[in-house]
């Protein structure tokens, strides 16, 4: 017999366990039973903290979304030339993705089967739209190449940034969040080719 | 009662049905029963064409891998400055991804649970390695920015290209394969920012 661990969880620490399990098994594939096992506390102890797994999902994706949206409110995202604001937001997106890696990973895997997932998808679309608007403004200023189509470029840039969750492992002591952000900004704004 | 369709499949057309089902349900989640239903022919008719679902997987991912590796053998990938060869390969990767969309999608979702999947993952790593070598050669020639770290840049460029399978829909009459390839090449080599 295993002795159930005493419930020393806060909503915050319980959330970090739940996000791990969601990312491992998928949200649909996770039951309260799985969460209870992973946390080492009973289901009723979990219900003491939250109403159920959908509330945990909502809190987890909110954390990712709040982090991303907060970058749009930073002074460097609100003042100055659109192209500079865009560069700031791209850099900060990468930094938030890496500092909130499990939460953003979960957000990017959301499918839309529940009200919370649909809400998360809609907020993601809002965010993408705000970034696309910045790119449009930069194009209107004449600061981006005129031959780049805004919608396509937005998708490709998001594709590059979002792909980071597939390979970035903080424990691997590879590139730091800042190094990855630098590399993304260099690639997206100046490209690989050395200026002639 | 439904009348079973007469088996007019060739290995080629059966493959295209199988790839659709694999992409929809996941390879692990697909049974011969699912394939038989989707193709509208009996399981024994399928066994007339192939030894089982793993052979279908092997043929499908081979088609994607052969398409990708063939780009490395094209004259423009073999002759000239490394940076030009790299640009050619990046463009052709996007074009192959779009022309063989379901096959490359399947390849990118392979997990490694069977021998065929592990073989596919190894060939993917070989391909990534060949592209990284081209980037290294371009850096040695002084044709790419010295501040870009090769491994990181390779991952980000592959991330951008591979993300195309998540949103590109040929039937949506959006950008053509060539337009997407142009946009990727512009972004990867020159970046968004208008040259001063």
């Amino acid at each position: 017999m295993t002795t159930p661990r005493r419930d020393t969880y806060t909503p915050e620490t319980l959330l970090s366990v739940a996000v791990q399990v969601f990312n491992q098994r998928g949200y649909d594939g996770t039951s309260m039973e799985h969460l209870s096992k992973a946390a080492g506390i009973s289901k009723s102890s979990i219900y003491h903290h939250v109403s159920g797994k959908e509330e945990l999902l909502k809190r987890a994706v909110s954390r990712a979304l709040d982090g991303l949206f907060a970058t749009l409110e930073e002074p460097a995202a609100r003042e100055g030339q659109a192209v500079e604001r865009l560069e700031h937001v791209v850099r900060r997106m990468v930094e938030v993705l890496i500092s909130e890696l499990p939460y953003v990973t979960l957000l990017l895997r959301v499918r839309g089967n529940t009200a919370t997932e649909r809400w998360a998808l809609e907020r993601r679309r809002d965010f993408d739209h705000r970034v696309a608007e910045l790119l449009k403004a930069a194009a209107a200023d004449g600061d981006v190449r005129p031959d780049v189509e805004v919608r396509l470029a937005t998708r490709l840039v998001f594709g590059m940034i979002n792909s980071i969750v597939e390979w970035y492992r903080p424990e691997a002591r590879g590139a730091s969040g800042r190094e990855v952000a630098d590399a993304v900004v260099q690639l997206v704004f100046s490209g690989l080719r050395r200026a002639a």
Side-chain angles (χ1 to χ4, degrees), chain A residues 2-118:
Chain A
T2 55
T3 319
R5 211 186 304 165
R6 220 174 113 240
D7 177 9
T8 53
Y9 280 96
T10 63
E12 198 63 12
T13 56
L14 180 62
L15 191 62
S16 96
V17 173
V19 168
Q20 271 180 40
V21 183
F22 290 155
N23 281 333
Q24 227 164 48
R25 314 188 63 97
Y27 175 69
D28 290 335
T30 301
S31 65
M32 286 300 281
E33 194 66 36
H34 295 131
L35 293 176
S36 143
K37 270 201 186 144
I41 57 175
S42 67
K43 280 195 267 183
S44 65
S45 297
I46 297 183
Y47 284 119
H48 173 73
H49 293 295
V50 291
S51 63
K53 73 168 190 164
E54 197 166 346
E55 186 182 334
L56 286 164
L57 178 70
K58 176 119 191 197
R59 287 193 190 187
V61 295
S62 293
R63 181 160 156 171
L65 286 162
D66 291 350
L68 290 170
F69 273 96
T71 66
L72 298 173
E73 304 306 324
E74 292 168 359
R78 297 168 55 97
E79 290 148 28
Q81 286 283 100
V83 72
E84 302 292 340
R85 286 151 55 206
L86 178 64
E87 183 174 316
H88 176 79
V89 170
V90 165
R91 170 182 302 282
R92 295 286 296 125
M93 274 173 70
V94 177
E95 287 173 353
V96 168
L97 180 145
I98 285 177
S99 67
E100 302 289 348
L101 193 63
Y103 299 91
V104 178
T105 302
L106 182 65
L107 176 66
L108 293 177
R109 293 188 183 161
V110 149
R111 282 287 158 259
N113 293 328
T114 61
T116 297
E117 289 172 275
R118 287 187 292 275

Side-chain angles (χ1 to χ4, degrees), chain A residues 176-193:
Chain A
S176 69
R178 172 174 289 264
E179 285 165 331
V180 180
D182 282 345
V184 170
V185 166
Q186 283 160 0
L187 273 173
V188 167
F189 290 91
S190 314
L192 278 177
R193 204 184 278 267

